[in-house]
Amino acid sequence: MKARRPALEITVVERNRPFDTFGWGVVLSDQTLDNLREADPPSAAEIGRDFHHWDDIEVFFKGRSVRSGGHGFSGIGRKRLLNILQERCLALGVQLVFERDVADDQALAREYGADLVIASDGLNSRIRQRYAEAFEPDVDTRLCRFVWLGTKKRFDAFTFAFEKTEHGWFQAHAYQFDADTSTFIVETPEDVWRAHGLDRMEQPEAVAFCEKLFAKYLDGNALISNAAHLRGSAIWIRFPRVVCGRWTHRIDVDGRAVPVVLMGDAAHTAHFSIGSGTKLALEDAIDLAREFERDESIDEVLQAYEARRSVEVLKIQNAARNSTEWFENVQRYSGMEIEQFAYSLLTRSQRISHENLRLRDAAWLDGYEQWLAGGRARMPMLMPLKVRELTLKNRVVVSPMATYSAVDGVPQDFHLVHLGARALGGAALVFVEMTSPTPEGRITPGCPGLYNDAQASAFRRIVDFVHTQTSARIGLQLGHSGPKGSTRVGWEGTDEPLPEGNWPLMAASALAYGAHNQVPAAMTRAQMELLRDQFVASTRRAAESGFDWLELHCAHGYLLASFLSPLTNQRTDEFGGSLGNRCRYPLEVFAAMRAAWPAGRPMSVRISAHDWAPGGNTPDDAVAMARLFKDAGCDFIDVSSGQTTRAARPVYGRMYQTPFADRIRNEVGIGAIAVGAITDADQANSIIAAGRADLCAVARPHLADPAWTLHQAAQLESHDVDWPVQYLAGRDQMVREISKQKAAAGSAGSAQAVTKKTTNEE
């Protein structure tokens, strides 16, 4: 900011002495370095001269290691970085004030006549806390303990080392940051930390413990602490994730409304496993300086800064949350072989994808694909899967999606064309939309049912087409609408009641789904037994119709879901209260259906793994539910979330429900279907390759493109998918056009790279 506008008077007030710092090294990505070069070339050049750069990541796990390249990070000592930035400030005329601990920001602003206060006072920010009502901070203290140490062992790759003790797992994050020193972070879950008595150890004893545990990686070098001022176990901390609802606030200074803006850890934090607070703070500063180049008022500048930067930070924090949870739950993945364990680690944030790994290290990824497939490399989503006696040709599922086009519950020609087209489109398993075992169980008058012969006959026609004209398999999802029934078709108002002709509803409890929905009757035991038997009757019809897979819908606030969620189940009998009681009736229905369904054919259950509302089910509850359904004979959990109440506030994003599937699959040991915001093959390949799910259900993309699987495979130039022979000419043309487009894009990219290199050399 000073370099751009030299007339500005900028004062930095620092609590520490000149050039004091704590910690060891700082990691910055190549992207952050590029931003810094553009914002302040002299600083970037000086920092660049002191960087230790590496491309490789090496993972040590269960006595073996895996190494991959192309990751592009740089490390620098914290003290050296601080020296460079302070020297640059002095060269530009920034006033630096040291050894002053600011207790009152308003007094400071008054003393210096400040027009703007930038609060970059760290994760324990006093200023943020003072104006908490305005900044709306949310601090989530995470589950692991970690300690920052150093060592003279020089690591030639960013190293992740995992060691199991009698109490659980420890992991080390290690990287070299100068000519002879590396950062060495040791991390472990709180319960493991306490079980080893580290909470009662003095610092030297704890450092010695870590040194002994990771001795094989240190080659005789010691671990070093630079926090001698801390006593006892204070060197071990839990990471606080900081999120603020707002970053700017005005304070009164002698009648002037002076803006205060948060920056760096005061505004936000992201776990060290995905980056550093220094990186985020640098990018904050760069962005704020750029915003001040605009010819606008200070309020407009700060609003623009917060609006843009908060979005970028949120993306990083979402990725950091996934990364944090991965390291908090190493035990979850400990059953994997190192090949998949390392892949899971590299893609843990969901920001690094399968094809991104190919760009980084194609040879390594090709080898991993060969290992995963047990032979010739292929796209992970195109690997076959056998479940009971059914073999699916790949891992892509057309998710059940309401089309509201049945008449009196009878599927029409539309369903034949709709489902048939998607069965021809390359997916392995095509699901019919939720189908009711009773007339009153339909969501809308346009939803299908399977409670009479006409419906069974219509479904048999569709099943026969799929079996005789395609290589796909077809599944049926059975469910009862419960409190969300008697509503309009989707394009006339989702979940809104019919304007006339409504039918009575029933649910676990007499609670309406919304203010405009009718109140359902709480089910009696007799009604529960009758509906169970109706589900069984529909199950038998589904088997006779030839369906390959059966799914029971226990999600999204429908009837069986209304039993599962404490938000919708207020019963006081044996079907309410504890999670076990709430699961009792859905399990009863499932067990009866499983007994009637052919033993060689799979069954799945769709659940809402998170209610996204206070007091509702959480992912912990979802794991417990999955275990109960597994014990009842369920083969797969179809892992969705939300929609149990209108009060739900989901946190959306790419593959946002996949972490729930990951947890259920790897903690419960049951097949999992990932669903939700999976939009391309790269995402599906990442999910399957990492072992986060066994199948990927793709919904809306299949509405736009019935041949989604074929087209996605063609885009990645894969031949491991069978096109209908009638469409082979179209396949060949598509592959040729894609090859031409990639060749043209490659030529353009090479030209741009040459131009950029020439410019830099000049």
Side-chain angles (χ1 to χ4, degrees):
M1 191 181 293
K2 183 70 171 177
R4 286 176 166 85
R5 301 176 66 180
L8 290 177
E9 294 182 12
I10 299 177
T11 302
V12 177
V13 181
E14 167 63 54
R15 66 168 63 95
N16 297 315
R17 295 176 301 175
F19 309 123
D20 266 3
T21 187
F22 302 100
W24 293 89
V26 174
V27 177
L28 300 177
S29 68
D30 287 350
Q31 180 183 3
T32 301
L33 295 179
D34 288 341
N35 289 339
L36 186 57
R37 289 187 189 101
E38 182 181 343
D40 190 40
S43 295
E46 189 67 25
I47 291 170
R49 281 190 283 272
D50 285 277
F51 262 139
H52 183 85
H53 186 87
W54 68 90
D55 280 321
D56 289 0
I57 290 177
E58 189 163 19
V59 180
F60 292 87
F61 179 64
K62 295 195 294 193
R64 297 174 59 208
S65 67
V66 165
R67 190 179 184 116
S68 65
H71 300 286
F73 284 91
S74 297
I76 186 171
R78 286 180 179 272
K79 182 168 287 191
R80 179 58 186 144
L81 178 62
L82 185 63
N83 291 350
I84 292 170
L85 295 177
Q86 289 179 351
E87 289 166 359
R88 178 63 172 153
C89 285
L90 292 172
L92 289 170
V94 174
Q95 182 181 359
L96 302 180
V97 178
F98 294 100
E99 297 184 72
R100 180 167 179 184
D101 193 9
V102 178
D104 187 343
D105 58 289
Q106 295 182 18
L108 188 74
R110 183 178 301 108
E111 177 182 345
Y112 286 96
D115 298 304
L116 172 67
V117 175
I118 298 175
S120 189
D121 54 340
L123 61 87
N124 295 313
S125 169
R126 291 175 178 169
I127 296 176
R128 183 188 66 220
Q129 187 58 36
R130 181 175 186 177
Y131 308 116
E133 188 173 338
F135 291 128
E136 301 172 1
D138 176 15
V139 181
D140 176 20
T141 304
R142 300 304 307 175
L143 305 180
C144 281
R145 290 277 179 171
F146 66 94
V147 58
W148 289 80
L149 301 171
T151 179
K152 293 301 179 179
K153 164 62 188 282
R154 291 175 291 179
F155 292 91
D156 63 352
F158 196 116
T159 299
F160 294 102
F162 296 84
E163 288 295 321
K164 187 176 184 181
T165 70
E166 66 272 27
H167 299 300
W169 288 91
F170 284 76
Q171 55 262 8
H173 312 238
Y175 57 89
Q176 187 174 345
F177 63 83
D178 65 21
D180 62 359
T181 318
S182 299
T183 293
F184 201 93
I185 306 169
V186 178
E187 184 183 25
T188 190
E190 172 91 5
D191 60 333
V192 178
W193 180 74
R194 290 186 179 279
H196 279 283
L198 287 161
D199 58 322
R200 302 183 299 277
M201 289 185 193
E202 289 297 325
Q203 185 177 143
E205 186 182 1
V207 173
F209 173 91
C210 295
E211 190 175 301
K212 180 178 179 181
L213 181 61
F214 290 100
K216 69 176 74 170
Y217 310 103
L218 295 171
D219 296 338
N221 291 280
L223 288 178
I224 311 162
S225 170
N226 65 358
H229 60 292
L230 298 177
R231 296 289 178 263
S233 62
I235 57 170
W236 293 90
I237 59 177
R238 292 170 61 190
F239 185 83
R241 187 226 57 187
V242 176
V243 177
C244 288
R246 294 175 58 199
W247 294 10
T248 58
H249 172 60
R250 280 190 175 266
I251 59 175
D252 180 75
V253 179
D254 297 333
R256 294 186 305 122
V258 177
V260 177
V261 59
L262 300 179
M263 181 178 289
D265 284 352
H268 48 68
T269 59
H271 193 258
F272 58 83
S273 64
I274 199 172
S276 70
T278 305
K279 160 190 155 63
L280 289 176
L282 277 173
E283 291 174 346
D284 284 351
I286 290 168
D287 205 74
L288 183 60
R290 285 174 179 161
E291 288 296 339
F292 267 101
E293 293 180 347
R294 299 152 59 103
D295 186 21
E296 295 180 343
S297 70
I298 191 169
D299 281 342
E300 290 172 319
V301 166
L302 295 178
Q303 287 170 9
Y305 161 72
E306 179 179 339
R308 185 167 72 174
R309 190 74 190 125
S310 62
V311 171
E312 293 305 311
V313 167
L314 181 60
K315 292 177 183 177
I316 293 171
Q317 287 187 315
N318 284 342
R321 180 193 63 235
N322 293 335
S323 180
T324 305
E325 291 179 356
W326 195 95
F327 282 107
E328 289 172 343
N329 294 283
V330 171
Q331 176 62 34
R332 181 185 301 163
Y333 308 104
S334 61
M336 293 179 173
E337 296 298 316
I338 190 173
E339 288 83 359
Q340 189 167 53
F341 182 87
Y343 184 100
S344 177
L345 185 155
L346 291 174
T347 60
R348 65 194 180 278
S349 71
Q350 296 190 171
R351 282 169 65 90
I352 296 177
S353 69
H354 195 74
E355 291 306 309
N356 185 267
L357 287 175
R358 195 182 307 282
L359 289 173
R360 295 175 182 224
D361 193 338
W364 172 80
L365 187 64
D366 184 70
Y368 178 67
E369 288 181 336
Q370 292 180 45
W371 176 86
L372 191 66
R376 183 178 57 82
R378 65 170 65 193
M379 288 170 56
M381 79 172 200
L382 297 181
M383 297 188 307
L385 178 69
K386 185 173 183 180
V387 187
R388 294 193 181 234
E389 296 175 8
L390 178 71
T391 298
L392 300 176
K393 63 181 179 180
N394 60 51
R395 306 302 184 92
V396 181
V397 176
V398 177
S399 196
M401 295 173 284
T403 61
Y404 311 110
S405 298
V407 177
D408 295 328
V410 179
Q412 303 296 296
D413 287 349
F414 171 86
H415 293 88
L416 174 65
V417 175
H418 169 71
L419 296 166
R422 282 142 189 86
L424 287 165
L429 179 62
V430 178
F431 264 112
V432 177
E433 64 201 87
M434 189 179 93
T435 299
S436 175
T438 72
E440 300 79 19
R442 293 174 296 158
I443 305 168
T444 77
C447 291
L450 188 50
Y451 44 83
N452 63 39
D453 292 343
Q455 295 158 351
S457 178
F459 274 126
R460 190 176 301 111
R461 178 179 176 229
I462 296 169
V463 172
D464 287 347
F465 177 87
V466 172
H467 286 165
T468 60
Q469 301 299 316
T470 83
S471 55
R473 295 294 177 259
I474 186 166
L476 180 71
Q477 185 188 71
L478 280 177
H480 189 292
S481 60
K484 297 175 72 174
S486 191
T487 57
R488 306 173 196 181
V489 297
W491 49 85
E492 292 180 0
T494 302
D495 296 328
E496 294 301 317
L498 294 169
E500 58 184 8
N502 284 281
W503 57 82
L505 306 180
M506 60 182 182
S509 299
L511 296 172
Y513 180 66
H516 299 110
N517 298 89
Q518 62 173 296
V519 177
M523 293 182 74
T524 65
R525 183 58 183 148
Q527 288 174 318
M528 293 164 65
E529 292 173 351
L530 174 60
L531 182 59
R532 177 200 61 205
D533 295 343
Q534 290 168 324
F535 267 108
V536 169
S538 293
T539 297
R540 293 196 175 102
R541 289 185 185 276
E544 292 165 2
S545 297
F547 281 102
D548 302 294
W549 189 298
L550 186 64
E551 179 165 288
L552 179 62
H553 202 327
C554 294
H556 299 171
Y558 297 121
L559 188 139
L560 294 176
S562 75
F563 278 86
L564 294 176
S565 174
L567 298 175
T568 52
N569 185 339
Q570 297 184 354
R571 300 177 73 98
T572 57
D573 59 8
E574 68 269 32
F575 299 100
S578 69
L579 179 63
N581 282 356
R582 300 198 307 273
C583 289
R584 190 186 302 273
Y585 181 57
L587 286 167
E588 178 184 323
V589 173
F590 176 85
M593 292 170 63
R594 180 69 265 184
W597 183 245
R601 301 186 206 177
M603 278 191 71
S604 57
V605 173
R606 173 167 278 197
I607 66 170
S608 287
H610 198 321
D611 281 342
W612 298 109
N617 281 328
T618 67
D620 288 343
D621 297 314
V623 169
M625 285 189 276
R627 285 199 176 99
L628 292 172
F629 279 111
K630 178 186 178 183
D631 292 344
C634 183
D635 301 295
F636 268 72
I637 301 295
D638 189 353
V639 189
S640 189
S641 72
Q643 302 180 55
T644 51
T645 169
R646 289 187 187 265
R649 296 294 180 267
V651 179
Y652 292 112
R654 295 178 303 166
M655 304 173 283
Y656 72 104
Q657 295 174 156
T658 297
F660 307 143
D662 180 348
R663 184 172 176 189
I664 286 171
R665 179 185 188 271
N666 290 298
E667 288 189 22
V668 179
I670 189 172
I673 304 174
V675 64
I678 300 169
T679 57
D680 59 40
D682 196 17
Q683 294 171 354
N685 284 329
S686 302
I687 291 167
I688 300 302
R692 296 189 176 97
D694 303 276
L695 295 168
C696 286
V698 179
R700 293 177 185 179
H702 270 123
L703 293 179
D705 183 2
W708 182 87
T709 304
L710 299 180
H711 295 161
Q712 288 290 312
Q715 286 290 336
L716 295 176
E717 300 181 90
S718 172
H719 301 286
D720 294 314
V721 61
D722 57 322
W723 284 67
V725 294
Q726 299 91 331
Y727 298 165
L728 290 178
R731 177 201 65 184
D732 295 342
Q733 183 187 51
M734 174 176 279
V735 170
R736 286 194 300 270
E737 289 302 314
I738 289 171
S739 297
K740 290 178 186 177
Q741 292 167 10
K742 289 187 175 181
S747 298
S750 298
Q752 291 173 2
V754 170
T755 302
K756 183 176 180 181
K757 183 180 180 186
T758 303
T759 302
N760 289 340
E761 288 174 346
E762 291 173 350

